[in-house]
Amino acid sequence: MRYDIVALGELLVDITMTESTEGPPQMQGDAGGAPANVLAAATRLNGRTAFIGTVGDDKFGDFLAATLDAYQIDAAGLVRTSEDRTTLAFVRIDATGDRDFTFARNPGADTLLRPDDVRYELIAQSRFFHFGALSLTHSPAREATWAAVDYALRHGVTVSFDPNWRASLWPSEESARVQMRLGVDKANLVKVSEEELFLLTGCTDIEKGLAELAAPGKLVVVTLGANGCAYQLGNRTGAVPGVAVEAVDTTGAGDAFLGALLMRLRTFEESLERLSTEQLEEALWFANRVGAWTAGHRGTMAAFPTAADLEKALP
């Protein structure tokens, strides 16, 4: 197996404005996009990863291609296009570390990936294939995404999905729900936030929401911020406590959590349904630690920890 994780989806530039009570806002540019973030988090933990997606044939695209190289993410699946510009995300971080997003994406280079552009052989060489919902907002990326997912499932690759709800990028909440529920149904592993759990199920009760998304052999995890996470694997349910940290920037924390979870699960020979509760909860505890570290540092990919960072700074 050549790769631990191959991910398909958006690779974009995050332009972050951080607010402070001590002075004017500060602006900073960084590489981002949830699927690419998952890969960067994994490579920081010595994972072998590859990216599939599209960026513009512009200076921002040059920056993003260089970033993949810097993080040792295989860019064989990266497509450059002159049809539209590289997508930008403007991120506002308030004084508590919470963030909101505004996108320059109309439709954006990341939506232009076509089924024929997908390097399917990369997927066949991976333990996990990961995708998110932002590649489902527009054609042709939607068709490319489903083609890649179906290919992964046919070839026995474990499929991971993160809805990554961004309301402004969808024509309607219902259209988002339809595509996201299809992603949940196809995936072997699903990671959602509390907001996404409510969007997909209408349930404010975590256990009821998990039960609605659950299926035999499927792992569903809901992240709960400082409170850690809850999960359902088949008929098994549980919760893993969080790690106390002073949050300064939560951008990418969920992606870091998922990248770390996939890397920890990669160490087990068992398929998801055969994991012991002890193995699963140890993996989720590790993922909580990585998410907490990320929330306690500024930036996106630059905030992801190495294994050495975790050993020095967190219990």
Side-chain angles (χ1 to χ4, degrees):
M1 196 77 60
R2 184 176 178 185
Y3 301 107
D4 298 308
I5 312 168
V6 171
L8 179 150
E10 71 276 10
L11 174 62
L12 46 81
V13 177
D14 285 337
I15 299 176
T16 303
M17 181 180 74
T18 304
E19 296 181 353
S20 171
T21 58
E22 300 176 357
Q26 301 295 311
M27 303 288 288
Q28 179 178 332
D30 199 0
N37 288 342
V38 169
L39 299 183
T43 60
R44 292 282 283 170
L45 299 169
N46 301 315
R48 297 163 296 173
T49 68
F51 176 77
I52 299 170
T54 306
V55 297
D57 190 15
D58 51 34
K59 293 298 184 181
F60 286 123
D62 294 343
F63 165 69
L64 293 173
T67 299
L68 293 182
D69 183 64
Y71 279 85
Q72 299 182 315
I73 299 169
D74 190 330
L78 182 67
V79 177
R80 304 293 297 270
T81 181
S82 59
E83 293 181 53
D84 206 342
R85 292 171 292 183
T86 298
T87 301
L88 307 180
F90 296 89
V91 189
R92 171 182 167 270
I93 310 292
D94 67 20
T96 69
D98 285 334
R99 75 273 192 275
D100 58 51
F101 294 84
T102 302
F103 292 88
R105 186 190 196 227
N106 188 31
D110 68 289
T111 71
L112 299 177
L113 185 74
R114 294 172 171 82
D116 289 346
D117 294 328
V118 176
R119 294 284 298 272
Y120 295 98
E121 71 275 14
L122 301 177
I123 300 171
Q125 298 175 68
S126 187
R127 170 69 182 276
F128 295 103
F129 172 70
H130 175 68
F131 74 108
L134 293 195
S135 59
L136 303 175
T137 62
H138 295 75
S139 294
R142 179 186 300 126
E143 290 75 21
T145 302
W146 292 132
V149 170
D150 291 342
Y151 179 92
L153 292 171
R154 290 197 306 271
H155 287 78
V157 178
T158 301
V159 174
S160 162
F161 174 60
D162 178 359
N164 194 31
W165 169 235
R166 299 287 181 262
S168 64
L169 296 181
W170 290 90
S172 70
E173 190 172 292
E174 181 57 26
S175 66
R177 187 180 296 108
V178 168
Q179 293 295 317
M180 290 177 182
R181 282 303 298 251
L182 183 55
V184 170
D185 291 344
K186 286 178 177 287
N188 308 109
L189 186 160
V190 179
K191 193 277 293 182
V192 297
S193 67
E194 288 184 86
E195 180 185 17
E196 291 158 353
L197 187 69
F198 178 74
L199 173 70
L200 292 171
T201 68
C203 295
T204 56
D205 182 276
I206 299 298
E207 289 188 10
K208 290 181 180 178
L210 283 172
E212 182 165 328
L213 299 184
K218 186 191 300 290
L219 173 60
V220 183
V221 179
V222 55
T223 52
L224 305 171
N227 294 319
C229 63
Y231 69 87
Q232 181 156 348
L233 175 56
N235 293 323
R236 284 182 283 163
T237 62
V240 178
V243 175
V245 67
E246 183 179 351
V248 297
D249 182 355
T250 59
T251 307
D255 303 327
F257 171 96
L258 185 51
L261 175 60
L262 294 178
M263 284 301 299
R264 206 60 157 194
L265 294 176
R266 179 70 177 89
T267 65
F268 302 126
E269 295 297 328
E270 295 84 354
S271 58
L272 290 177
E273 63 267 28
R274 293 183 178 274
L275 288 173
S276 69
T277 299
E278 181 180 12
Q279 287 173 321
L280 175 58
E281 293 192 352
E282 189 277 333
L284 290 168
W285 169 241
F286 178 73
N288 282 342
R289 294 177 69 204
V290 172
W293 168 282
T294 302
H297 293 76
R298 296 200 184 279
T300 308
M301 293 182 183
F304 299 152
T306 64
D309 290 330
L310 296 174
E311 289 174 5
K312 288 186 294 186
L314 290 173

